[in-house]
Amino acid sequence: MSDFLFFLEVLIGGLLAGSLYALVALGFVLIYKASFVFNFAQSSFVFFAALSLCGFMELGLPMWAAVPVAISLMVVVGMATERLVLRPLVGQSEETLLMATIGLAFVVEGLAQAVWGVEVRTLDLGVGHHPIEWVMDRWGMLINKFDLVAAIVAWILVAVLALVFSRTKVGRGLRAVADDNSAALSIGIPLSHIWMLVWATAGVVALVAGMLWGARNGVQFALVDLALKALPVLIIGGFTSVPGVVVAGLLVGAFESVTEFYIGPLVGGGIDAWTPYALAVVFLMFRAEGLFGEKIIRRV
Amino acid sequence: MLFREAGQFHTSYAQDSRLLPLRRDRIRMAILLVAGFLVVPFIANDYWLDAILIPWLTLSLVAQGQNILMGYAGQLSLGSAGFMAAGAFACYNIILRIDGIGFIAAVLLSGVCAALIGIVFGLPSLRVRGLYLMVATLASQFFIVWALNKIEWFTNYDPAGVITAQHIFVLGHEFDTSVEKYLVVLGIVSVLTLLAANMAHGSPGRAWMAVRDMDVAAEVNGLSLLRTKLQAFAISSFYCGVGGALYTYAYLETVEPSAFTIHMSFLILFMALIGGLGTIKGPFFGAAFILFIPIVLNVISNEVFGNAVNLSLLSALEQLIFGVMIIVILIFEPLGLARIWQLFKQRLRLWPFRH
Amino acid sequence: MTAPVQSPRRAFDIGAPILELESISLRFGGVQALTNISFNVLEHEVRAIIGPNGAGKSSMLNVINGVYVPQEGTIAFRGEQVKGMKPTRAARLGIARTFQNIALFRGMSVLDNIMAGRTLQSRAGFLEVALQLPRARREETANREAAEEIIEFLAIEHIRRTPVARLPYGLQKRVELGRALAANPKVLLLDEPMAGMNIEEKQDMCRFILDVNDHYGTTVVLIEHDMGVVMDLSDRVVVLDYGRKIGDGTPDEVRSNQDVINAYLGVAH
């Protein structure tokens, strides 16, 4: 197989993985856009959602029933977070809120494993994890069918959410709430409904991401580390931009994959553990607000 | 009633600026040190020394490093376990490759190595802060562990990728038993804590807090943000590195790079936070708490359920409890256990009166 | 209008220009904050900068101090041009300042805040402080003495250990003045030092400013809205409006300047 085709294969593999990173990052963006809180626990939500789904299915529910149950559970988790963690800390510094969501991450992870146990689960979504035959036959490239389907699902979800945010009444309400709570209240926007919607959406995103990643790699604690890769994506794409995290996700995925395959063998491999973070650091040094984020201005 | 401050008059600024200006505090510290050095070795059994006191002391030192960086200088970091690893492996290689070097010198040198690495990975702090900085420190965490794993020179080409700590030699004498290791650790931790207290209390501490509270005003007063922040990273990494070396040599004894996980970095952060950021005694409280919970859980589960309890359930519960504690502390007493202790002492002072 | 403050006979005669600003222009994105501003500040004088809200007064101080970098123009200190003024450079030259919105270090006590102002006077490195070597101890005591002098001068002994976040506004402003004084500055930039104060507090602050100028010879540049204070305290005044200089002279000259009167009365121009 020619060099170019190999590069393409590596690149596409990275882009597909990157689409999933973008999906996880989307959960962060949703919550941040609506409440200016960075929910560090979103990565743990991914794990929690996927694990709970498996748990419900083990209890006997078929998948089409387990999914809505899992979604409702995520909504409950979200509401509990808002009520028990965020509300008591209203007005505190950004750092305090960040620490609180880190604590939340531990709570969610601990809870998930205490309730459902620590065994690795497999999740079968009905799509095969094998190379697409006609691509293999035609060009000799290995492109995993599941990865492609997963990426497409991710893109669809992202597109739907982006449209909802910018075009619909609900989306506008969300942005109003993010900008100014009391002002939004005073024009009749029902705050608690909006919160519920935001957390439900973030929960759905977490569940979908968890299902896709879980079906690919197994539903296990390592999912959290994987989901943490959304952090560099957010840095690079900006916390408030949906197109930003999409582009950034693709960029991070591609970068991670290409460097691992081309530079990795020279230094012993496994560099994908830190390359996304290194890329984020480079971005931080030169463009701290990310590709699409808002420039941070401080008044003295 | 139990404590009296009245009747102590300082006649010089030097007296007033001491670390422990009140006599009762000095007496208490003296008692604590005497107990630590002279009493504990005789009454504590090996389990207490090896499984409780030594890890508590070494992790307190690491948490102190985190406290210096986060509590005093206000720089959010998740890289502490990486610097622990750097310190541990530096110590191993120093003792391995430099003949006849004493343990204390090796430990201090490995702290310096960790400090130098800390300066490099602290550079992003000049551009960003808060969450952004935290993600940048994750880069250092993952990179350091990867490098220690891949570059086999660090593990001396061990096929399993593991290092075994050499025996501790101070001034030619081997410190091998639990008591001896405990004394070495206690000595190093006490001295380094004193140095940290001196710094926090004096101009470096003021510089860090100025940068933490209002960096523009700090600059206007002549502080170089670059020097202050990098200095904080360096000193913090030094403490994490020394703590990591002691943790490895006196506690774990065999370790691989992957043991210093991001989970551990989180725990160190929790120790500093729960204990009380911006206080010197906070890390000790925090480390005690984090070490204490698993032990308590173990005891409770053994009492109530016998040995039938799933270990992974226990560790999941631990995680749950840590997370809840963080949230509770942030909501109700952001200044941590150190502050709760301080309030308790004040109550004690007025007892039996309420106020 | 505050009661007239009696200032003692001047101990330091007004001297040569210590600060010279030439053609300073400052832009933020599309907003022109300052346009072609030139004026000087003479050593040992009290120079007021006045003007309606939004005239660019704080921006002017920020430029002198190096917090903002002007797109055009030069700053000269004691006759020598300073290329690329930065806050730390300004501090080393001996320029100290207070901020409009109080920039105290909230996590520290009054004493610590003031001692933080002595940063440039400390030579001892962190290791010396850690090990409490003689030089570090001497400097700490010297810093403490200097800080106590200022605390006495400002009559804030009773709150020296109080965390500044717990202090009322007026006292916080006083502490901030103390921190600026701790650096032994040649030039003191004060951004609305009396904002939000009642009559007594204003009188106290006036007294402090005059004392600083008189006893230490510190040149003072202050932004102030209270006309009475300006007229009583200052030797010369600069008037800004919409980022331009519209008046420069003694208080009496400026008071009778028609442009200045128009600017304050809001006459369209």
Side-chain angles (χ1 to χ4, degrees):
Chain A
M1 185 173 77
S2 80
D3 280 340
F4 175 68
L5 282 180
F6 179 67
F7 171 74
L8 211 55
E9 176 187 305
V10 166
L11 182 66
I12 294 180
L15 290 174
L16 296 181
S19 313
L20 290 189
Y21 291 150
L23 188 61
V24 179
L26 189 60
F28 287 90
V29 170
L30 284 173
I31 306 221
Y32 192 81
K33 266 172 111 74
S35 61
F36 285 123
V37 169
F38 185 82
N39 180 18
F40 197 90
Q42 189 69 21
S43 310
S44 319
F45 284 7
V46 169
F47 173 59
F48 183 81
L51 197 56
S52 302
L53 182 74
C54 293
F56 289 134
M57 294 200 320
E58 279 164 19
L59 288 178
L61 287 175
M63 179 159 328
W64 57 262
V67 168
V69 174
I71 294 181
S72 327
L73 182 59
M74 294 313 291
V75 174
V76 168
V77 167
M79 301 303 296
T81 303
E82 199 270 321
R83 197 67 167 60
L84 298 173
V85 177
L86 297 181
R87 220 184 282 189
L89 292 173
V90 151
Q92 301 282 341
S93 71
E94 247 182 56
E95 275 96 21
T96 304
L97 283 167
L98 181 60
M99 294 296 124
T101 56
I102 293 181
L104 181 64
F106 263 63
V107 169
V108 166
E109 287 162 24
L111 195 60
Q113 294 185 288
V115 170
W116 301 114
V118 298
E119 306 87 46
V120 177
R121 315 300 216 276
T122 49
L123 193 57
D124 182 6
L125 293 178
V127 180
H129 295 258
H130 49 71
I132 304 175
E133 276 125 27
W134 61 269
V135 169
M136 185 74 184
D137 293 334
R138 188 96 180 277
W139 290 302
M141 286 199 292
L142 255 131
I143 297 189
N144 195 305
K145 182 168 180 200
F146 181 83
D147 287 351
L148 187 59
V149 171
I152 294 177
V153 169
W155 293 338
I156 293 177
L157 197 50
V158 167
V160 164
L161 286 172
L163 279 172
V164 164
F165 244 105
S166 50
R167 294 293 157 84
T168 68
K169 193 165 91 170
V170 167
R172 275 198 294 279
L174 251 137
R175 284 181 284 154
V177 163
D179 270 337
D180 190 335
N181 276 6
S182 348
L185 260 179
S186 69
I187 58 173
I189 297 181
L191 264 185
S192 50
H193 291 185
I194 296 280
W195 288 133
M196 196 145 67
L197 196 57
V198 172
W199 286 100
T201 318
V204 166
V205 168
L207 180 61
V208 172
M211 285 168 69
L212 293 174
W213 272 123
R216 194 177 187 271
N217 293 13
V219 179
Q220 51 179 315
F221 188 68
L223 218 52
V224 177
D225 276 344
L226 210 56
L228 276 182
K229 290 232 177 112
L231 292 178
V233 171
L234 286 162
I235 301 272
I236 296 174
F239 291 138
T240 51
S241 160
V242 172
V245 294
V246 170
V247 172
L250 294 175
L251 185 61
V252 167
F255 182 76
E256 181 189 56
S257 181
V258 168
T259 51
E260 176 65 22
F261 275 97
Y262 283 94
I263 304 183
L266 301 172
V267 285
I271 64 174
D272 53 0
W274 52 269
T275 39
Y277 294 94
L279 187 63
V281 170
V282 168
F283 260 86
L284 282 179
M285 299 305 267
F286 297 107
R287 200 183 155 81
E289 69 277 12
L291 287 172
F292 291 77
E294 289 140 14
K295 207 159 175 90
I296 320 152
I297 301 185
R298 294 168 65 201
R299 294 229 62 196
V300 178
Chain B
M1 185 180 107
L2 291 175
F3 296 100
R4 299 239 185 107
E5 296 176 334
Q8 295 188 40
F9 300 104
H10 298 136
T11 50
S12 76
Y13 289 130
Q15 261 187 354
D16 199 47
S17 326
R18 264 190 296 207
L19 277 180
L20 298 172
L22 298 176
R23 218 176 76 202
R24 66 143 206 261
D25 288 330
R26 289 199 295 278
I27 292 177
R28 256 191 317 155
M29 181 54 69
I31 293 178
L32 206 60
L33 287 173
V34 163
F37 279 102
L38 298 178
V39 176
V40 165
F42 292 107
I43 60 172
N45 63 24
D46 277 3
Y47 171 75
W48 265 91
L49 290 172
D50 284 331
I52 300 184
L53 289 178
I54 290 181
W56 172 63
L57 287 171
T58 54
L59 288 177
S60 300
L61 200 64
V62 181
Q64 192 73 264
Q66 180 79 15
N67 178 37
I68 288 174
L69 190 57
M70 225 174 98
Y72 284 101
Q75 308 296 309
L76 291 186
S77 162
L78 270 181
S80 44
F83 293 119
M84 279 177 81
F89 279 81
C91 197
Y92 173 76
N93 279 284
I94 288 172
I95 295 185
L96 182 70
R97 299 167 202 280
I98 302 182
D99 264 335
I101 192 169
F103 183 66
I104 309 255
V107 162
L108 292 179
L109 264 182
S110 48
V112 170
C113 290
L116 292 173
I117 301 177
I119 294 180
V120 170
F121 283 106
L123 286 170
S125 71
L126 303 175
R127 286 279 293 169
V128 294
R129 44 190 300 178
L131 173 74
Y132 296 93
L133 182 60
M134 187 174 260
V135 175
T137 59
L138 277 182
S140 76
Q141 166 72 39
F142 289 128
F143 179 78
I144 292 177
V145 171
W146 173 85
L148 289 174
N149 258 320
K150 289 298 167 180
I151 304 176
E152 292 174 345
W153 184 85
F154 286 123
T155 48
N156 206 20
Y157 303 98
D158 181 280
V162 157
I163 59 165
T164 311
Q166 304 96 335
H167 289 213
I168 299 176
F169 282 91
V170 179
L171 299 175
H173 177 84
E174 184 171 354
F175 281 70
D176 213 22
T177 67
S178 299
V179 173
E180 288 168 337
K181 285 192 286 185
Y182 160 77
L183 285 174
V184 170
V185 167
L186 182 61
I188 295 179
V189 170
S190 309
V191 170
L192 286 182
T193 305
L194 175 63
L195 297 194
N198 283 331
M199 284 191 282
H201 201 71
S203 50
R206 286 192 293 268
W208 296 332
M209 292 193 277
V211 166
R212 173 194 70 190
D213 288 341
M214 188 136 267
D215 51 3
V216 180
E219 276 194 300
V220 163
N221 276 290
L223 279 171
S224 159
L225 291 186
L226 176 115
R227 280 192 56 212
T228 309
K229 287 186 186 181
L230 291 184
Q231 182 192 75
F233 267 95
I235 295 178
S236 157
S237 310
F238 177 86
Y239 275 76
C240 290
V242 171
L246 290 177
Y247 188 67
T248 304
Y249 275 75
Y251 180 59
L252 290 178
E253 294 187 3
T254 344
V255 80
E256 48 165 356
S258 321
F260 296 99
T261 57
I262 182 178
H263 186 80
M264 184 174 269
S265 283
F266 276 123
L267 286 185
I268 308 277
L269 187 146
F270 286 3
M271 287 183 206
L273 192 64
I274 293 176
L277 287 175
T279 66
I280 292 293
K281 55 164 84 85
F284 289 97
F285 286 126
F289 179 83
I290 299 280
L291 285 174
F292 190 59
I293 293 293
I295 297 179
V296 165
L297 274 183
N298 236 321
V299 166
I300 294 180
S301 74
N302 277 337
E303 286 298 309
V304 175
F305 298 109
N307 279 324
V309 179
N310 197 338
L311 276 178
S312 43
L313 174 63
L314 280 185
S315 87
L317 281 178
E318 261 168 47
Q319 237 182 333
L320 182 60
I321 294 179
F322 291 153
V324 168
M325 189 62 176
I326 288 282
I327 296 175
V328 162
I329 282 275
L330 285 171
I331 295 178
F332 295 108
E333 185 48 86
L335 297 175
L337 295 175
R339 174 82 179 136
I340 293 178
W341 169 247
Q342 195 183 36
L343 292 172
F344 172 69
K345 279 194 302 180
Q346 276 176 2
R347 269 294 194 81
L348 217 50
R349 214 166 58 202
L350 295 168
W351 184 79
F353 301 108
R354 289 289 292 279
H355 50 88
Chain C
M1 198 145 146
T2 57
V5 178
Q6 300 296 332
S7 68
R9 194 176 59 85
R10 164 160 255 121
F12 292 87
D13 287 327
I14 296 180
I18 191 171
L19 267 180
E20 284 159 294
L21 297 133
E22 203 70 47
S23 313
I24 300 276
S25 287
L26 179 69
R27 263 190 309 282
F28 296 114
V31 178
Q32 187 81 21
L34 300 170
T35 312
N36 201 14
I37 307 247
S38 303
F39 66 92
N40 66 13
V41 180
L42 303 174
E43 193 154 9
H44 305 309
E45 79 170 333
V46 176
R47 191 82 141 111
I49 301 182
I50 66 174
N53 276 325
K57 310 187 291 289
S58 285
S59 302
M60 193 68 244
L61 279 194
N62 280 335
V63 164
I64 296 178
N65 199 209
V67 175
Y68 292 158
V69 178
Q71 278 77 12
E72 281 134 39
T74 59
I75 308 173
F77 186 81
R78 290 232 164 107
E80 274 190 52
Q81 236 190 52
V82 180
K83 286 211 179 0
M85 178 73 87
K86 287 203 303 222
T88 37
R89 182 88 190 275
R92 276 199 297 276
L93 287 173
I95 304 175
R97 89 170 265 188
T98 65
F99 289 86
Q100 193 174 7
N101 290 320
I102 300 190
L104 286 175
F105 305 126
R106 301 181 66 76
M108 296 202 254
S109 65
V110 168
L111 184 59
D112 280 336
N113 263 279
I114 297 181
M115 283 178 74
R118 299 265 309 167
T119 305
L120 288 175
Q121 262 80 329
S122 303
R123 292 260 154 281
F126 74 90
L127 209 49
E128 288 177 74
V129 176
L131 298 168
Q132 287 287 280
L133 297 182
R135 178 163 78 158
R137 287 156 83 153
R138 264 182 288 134
E139 276 184 0
E140 187 75 359
T141 309
N143 285 342
R144 180 69 190 269
E145 272 169 15
E148 288 290 341
E149 232 182 83
I150 292 171
I151 288 177
E152 198 186 307
F153 173 69
L154 294 171
I156 45 178
E157 295 96 328
H158 56 297
I159 49 167
R160 62 157 75 74
R161 297 268 187 210
T162 314
V164 295
R166 292 224 212 113
L167 293 175
Y169 185 80
L171 282 178
Q172 284 191 22
K173 277 209 133 49
R174 216 190 279 190
V175 173
E176 213 193 354
L177 178 63
R179 186 180 66 185
L181 290 177
N184 268 337
K186 317 252 182 346
V187 179
L188 192 55
L189 306 175
L190 302 173
D191 197 339
E192 299 200 33
M194 295 176 229
M197 288 187 177
N198 61 34
I199 301 269
E200 283 97 39
E201 288 170 330
K202 277 196 190 178
Q203 285 198 311
D204 285 335
M205 196 52 113
C206 280
R207 161 62 56 204
F208 292 136
I209 295 175
L210 275 179
D211 278 350
V212 162
N213 175 253
D214 200 56
H215 290 152
Y216 300 112
T218 313
T219 313
V220 176
V221 180
L222 83 150
I223 297 177
E224 186 44 57
H225 277 298
D226 186 327
M227 277 309 138
V229 165
V230 170
M231 297 303 155
D232 280 333
L233 277 190
S234 40
D235 297 306
R236 288 192 305 151
V237 180
V238 174
V239 190
L240 298 182
D241 187 30
Y242 285 112
R244 288 175 197 280
K245 186 173 88 165
I246 60 171
D248 186 349
T250 67
D252 285 324
E253 285 167 9
V254 156
R255 191 184 358 209
S256 41
N257 182 327
Q258 191 58 41
D259 288 330
V260 174
I261 297 172
N262 288 346
Y264 273 98
L265 289 179
V267 170
H269 56 282

